[in-house]
Amino acid sequence: MSSEHIKDAMRILLPSLVEGLDGDERNVLLTLARMLYTATTGRFTSKDQAAAWAKSLLSKADADLLSYARLAYWGEVLDDWTDRGSQAVYLTDELTRRLSALL
């Protein structure tokens, strides 16, 4: 599959992914990190590895939130976003902005 087809698919899926943030914060953030990784490197990787890679691009607060999503993915912390909703929206916006610039 060509990189243009992959970018087209990401461009099409991005709005619905972002719209699904509320109630699925962990998966949306990790998927955005994976999409950003693919758009940047042209390679595929797991959500977990993409999140680890993306942390170095982010502020400390955003990197910490992405780390929380990784830990929740592994089942190491309670997947509770009740007090993290506004942070998740901010990080979603940041990842979406970076991704959109590459698409």
Side-chain angles (χ1 to χ4, degrees), residues 3-42:
S3 63
E4 281 309 308
H5 281 102
I6 293 166
K7 287 181 178 183
D8 286 344
M10 287 191 280
R11 200 176 298 113
I12 290 166
L13 293 172
L14 187 57
S16 62
L17 178 66
V18 171
E19 286 175 19
L21 177 65
D22 189 30
D24 198 20
E25 291 86 354
R26 180 195 74 209
N27 285 316
V28 169
L29 292 173
L30 294 177
T31 300
L32 285 169
R34 183 164 53 180
M35 290 169 77
L36 181 60
Y37 177 88
T38 299
T40 302
T41 68

Side-chain angles (χ1 to χ4, degrees), residues 3 6-7 10 31-45 50 53-57 94-103:
S3 63
I6 293 166
K7 287 181 178 183
M10 287 191 280
T31 300
L32 285 169
R34 183 164 53 180
M35 290 169 77
L36 181 60
Y37 177 88
T38 299
T40 302
T41 68
R43 297 186 311 262
F44 297 103
T45 193
W53 170 86
K55 285 179 13 178
S56 67
L57 306 173
E94 176 65 14
L95 293 170
T96 299
R97 181 188 63 75
R98 289 173 181 262
L99 180 58
S100 294
L102 297 169
L103 300 179

